[in-house]
């Protein structure tokens, strides 16, 4: 342990992880405070409408990522000399896919059972996907284990967006204004990414699109893209189905619980994002080191998730009453069960690293497809019988199956 902590490389990864976790904790505290305030201001029905629109966009918005995030980071770590080519190609692919996803979401929104207000809010939120194309800059800083620059951008972006949300609450703004804030947040984040990239004396003019590079990225990312779409289905379909079966007020109660349940997901994601380059580098050196690191990571993810889930289950009613008061009384039972999905999410985050490191993307596609199909079937069976609690059970069971 002494040798481990004195290694420069290890200290570098710990520092990087600390930046990521510190950012997520601040975002969690600020986001939770403001998010709860927004939910209480809007009430279950309007909050349900906003949550439904976000779930609807999330359902189809996964197309915009093309599943390339981990693939691009992997190539940036392995081939530092071609970073401009990789970034330029990845940005072009993500921008095109975001535009396709935006058009597709609008078409689906218009042709399904959504009223005009729903369609407008969905379109506004979906527009944020275009600006998210610039998160390829984040990939570059992740590959260099320099996440502190992105952390500062994220914090400034959230601070501005949170101040706007508070101003909207104080001025009794309409629901649509809160949808515009989601799009504006994506714009601020994109501007911040551009600033820090230029601040490091890096130039966008060096970015180039290359067909061979695009082909190489898509060759390995398409199963992850399909897998990402499938994951979105079984992470978001519950809220869409609740709206169709039970109405928007029920979504409001369910979304209030899920917001708390998913609030800590940043921990496994931040740790995995920071340590992913170390896992790739370990695989270059020896399989033993590769598996040793994975064992440590799996164990930490598992027990940290359990440590969060147990007290949340015990004090779920107190947590909901403290945050939402009596407006969202049905959310406490949902939180009691839904929090355990975090254990499976934590393990799944590590598994995604193994999948990418070993080029086994097809395996991920199969398992997540089974999970998504299971979730749809379970929701159809359990929501009519158990209501929003049935949706929470369906989420956990489908992830276990996956």
């Amino acid at each position: 342990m002494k040798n481990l902590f004195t290694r420069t490389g290890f200290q570098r990864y710990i520092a990087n992880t600390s930046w990521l976790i510190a950012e997520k904790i601040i975002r969690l505290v600020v986001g939770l405070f403001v998010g709860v305030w927004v939910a209480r201001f809007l009430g279950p029905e309007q909050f349900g409408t906003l949550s439904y629109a976000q779930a609807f966009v999330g359902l189809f918005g996964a197309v915009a990522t093309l599943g390339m995030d981990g693939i691009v980071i992997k190539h940036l770590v392995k081939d530092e000399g071609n970073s401009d080519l990789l970034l330029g190609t990845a940005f072009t692919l993500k921008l095109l896919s975001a535009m396709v996803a935006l058009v597709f979401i609008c078409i689906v929104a218009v042709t399904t059972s959504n009223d005009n207000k729903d369609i407008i809010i969905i379109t506004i939120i979906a527009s944020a996907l275009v600006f998210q194309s610039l998160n390829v800059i984040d990939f570059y800083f992740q590959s260099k284990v320099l996440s502190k620059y992105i952390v500062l951008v994220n914090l400034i972006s959230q601070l501005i967006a949170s101040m706007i949300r508070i101003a909207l609450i104080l001025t009794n703004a309409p629901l649509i204004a809160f949808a515009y804030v989601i799009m504006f947040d994506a714009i601020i984040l994109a501007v911040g990414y551009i600033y820090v990239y230029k601040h490091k004396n890096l130039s966008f003019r060096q970015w180039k699109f290359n067909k061979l590079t695009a082909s190489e990225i898509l060759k390995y990312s398409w199963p992850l893209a399909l897998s990402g779409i499938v994951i979105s289905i079984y992470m978001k379909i519950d809220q869409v189905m609740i709206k169709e079966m039970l109405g928007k007020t029920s979504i409001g109660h369910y979304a209030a619980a899920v917001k708390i349940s998913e609030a800590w997901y940043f921990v496994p994601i931040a740790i995995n994002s920071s340590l992913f380059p170390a896992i790739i580098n370990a695989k270059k050196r020896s399989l033993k080191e590769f598996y040793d690191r994975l064992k440590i990571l799996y164990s930490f993810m598992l027990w940290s998730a359990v440590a969060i889930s147990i007290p949340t289950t015990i004090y779920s009613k107190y947590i909901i009453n403290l945050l939402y008061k009596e407006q969202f009384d049905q959310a406490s039972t949902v939180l009691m069960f839904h929090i355990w999905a975090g254990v499976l999410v934590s393990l799944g985050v590590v598994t995604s690293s193994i999948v990418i490191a070993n080029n086994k993307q097809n395996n991920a596609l199969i398992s997540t497809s089974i999970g998504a199909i299971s979730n749809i079937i379970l929701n159809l069976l359990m929501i009519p019988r158990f209501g929003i609690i049935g949706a929470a059970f369906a989420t956990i069971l489908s992830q276990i199956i996956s």
Side-chain angles (χ1 to χ4, degrees):
M1 290 295 292
K2 183 179 179 181
N3 290 335
L4 181 65
F5 279 94
T6 54
R7 288 180 187 172
T8 304
F10 183 81
Q11 292 173 354
R12 184 171 164 230
Y13 287 118
I14 287 295
N16 193 65
T17 305
S18 300
W19 271 101
L20 288 170
I21 292 180
E23 177 230 342
K24 297 300 182 183
I25 290 173
I26 295 170
R27 286 175 67 86
L28 169 63
V29 173
V30 175
L32 195 59
F33 171 76
V34 177
V36 167
W37 196 358
V38 169
R40 288 167 61 174
F41 170 75
L42 294 176
E45 185 176 353
Q46 286 200 98
F47 184 63
T49 300
L50 186 65
S51 299
Y52 165 74
Q54 289 178 285
F56 190 92
V57 172
L59 201 61
F60 304 102
V63 176
T65 69
L66 288 177
M68 68 169 66
D69 297 13
I71 301 295
V72 174
I73 295 170
K74 175 183 173 181
H75 283 289
L76 286 168
V77 172
K78 294 173 68 176
D79 191 7
E80 298 180 15
N82 282 325
S83 59
D84 289 325
L85 200 65
L86 285 164
L87 291 171
T89 303
F91 170 72
T92 304
L93 291 173
K94 286 177 77 71
L95 180 61
L96 291 173
S97 62
M99 293 172 70
V100 170
L102 174 59
V103 173
F104 182 74
I105 288 169
C106 292
I107 292 171
V108 175
V110 170
T111 55
T112 50
S113 59
N114 293 298
D115 56 34
N116 289 334
K117 182 170 72 173
D118 289 341
I119 293 169
I120 292 169
I121 292 174
I122 287 169
T123 303
I124 293 168
I125 295 173
S127 300
L129 296 173
V130 176
F131 302 100
Q132 289 171 8
S133 305
L134 278 164
N135 70 353
V136 295
I137 296 172
D138 184 13
F139 304 162
Y140 173 81
F141 285 100
Q142 281 189 50
S143 70
K144 300 295 183 183
V145 198
L146 292 171
S147 293
K148 66 179 181 180
Y149 297 100
I150 299 301
V151 165
L152 293 173
V153 171
N154 287 336
L155 289 176
I156 292 170
S157 168
Q158 191 196 29
L159 178 63
I160 295 172
S162 296
M163 289 172 66
I164 294 172
R165 287 186 175 95
I166 292 171
L168 293 177
I169 293 170
L170 295 175
T171 56
N172 291 314
L175 175 61
I176 194 169
F178 292 91
Y180 276 114
V181 175
I182 295 172
M183 181 183 71
F184 186 63
D185 189 24
I187 295 172
I188 298 170
L189 203 56
V191 172
Y193 284 156
I194 292 170
Y195 174 80
V196 294
Y197 193 75
K198 288 188 172 182
H199 182 70
K200 293 294 290 181
N201 295 319
L202 298 166
S203 175
F204 292 98
R205 294 180 181 180
Q206 303 298 321
W207 285 14
K208 295 177 182 178
F209 177 80
N210 183 275
K211 288 183 179 180
L212 290 176
T213 304
S215 177
E216 182 71 13
I217 291 172
L218 294 174
K219 175 184 174 182
Y220 293 106
S221 70
W222 74 263
L224 291 174
L226 291 178
S227 181
I229 294 168
V230 173
I231 288 171
S232 294
I233 290 172
Y234 82 76
M235 291 294 285
K236 302 294 183 182
I237 195 66
D238 47 3
Q239 295 189 43
V240 175
M241 295 178 77
I242 288 170
K243 182 251 183 182
E244 296 297 329
M245 296 182 186
L246 304 176
K248 293 177 183 176
T249 302
S250 293
I251 300 178
H253 288 278
Y254 185 80
V258 171
K259 188 176 186 64
I260 306 300
S261 177
E262 296 180 350
W264 70 277
Y265 285 5
F266 72 87
V267 175
I269 293 170
I271 292 170
N272 192 69
S273 296
S274 185
L275 297 182
F276 184 65
I279 290 172
I280 296 297
N281 287 327
K283 193 169 185 289
K284 290 181 191 176
R285 291 188 290 269
S286 74
L287 282 177
K288 183 181 184 303
E289 185 179 353
F290 175 68
Y291 286 117
D292 284 345
R293 289 188 177 187
L294 283 178
K295 282 198 293 184
I296 294 169
L297 195 53
Y298 262 124
S299 298
F300 179 79
M301 294 291 199
L302 173 64
W303 295 114
S304 61
V306 170
I308 290 170
S309 299
I310 291 174
T312 304
T313 298
I314 296 171
Y315 297 107
S316 61
K317 189 170 184 178
Y318 174 77
I319 293 168
I320 294 298
N321 287 339
L322 177 67
L323 296 175
Y324 296 107
K325 304 300 181 185
E326 67 282 350
Q327 274 186 300
F328 294 86
D329 55 316
Q330 298 176 42
S332 60
T333 311
V334 175
L335 177 61
M336 183 186 298
F337 296 107
H338 196 280
I339 189 67
W340 288 95
V343 176
L344 300 155
V345 169
S346 295
L347 297 177
V349 167
V350 184
T351 301
S352 68
S353 293
I354 302 173
V355 165
I356 294 171
N358 290 287
N359 292 323
K360 297 291 184 181
Q361 288 86 336
N362 290 335
N363 292 6
L365 178 58
I366 293 168
S367 66
T368 50
S369 297
I370 292 170
I373 294 168
S374 302
N375 197 21
I376 293 170
I377 295 171
L378 288 166
N379 274 308
L380 286 170
L381 295 173
M382 301 182 84
I383 291 176
R385 186 170 181 180
F386 302 106
I388 55 178
I389 298 171
F393 274 122
T395 297
I396 296 168
L397 291 173
S398 63
Q399 289 197 22
I400 290 171
I401 293 168
S402 177

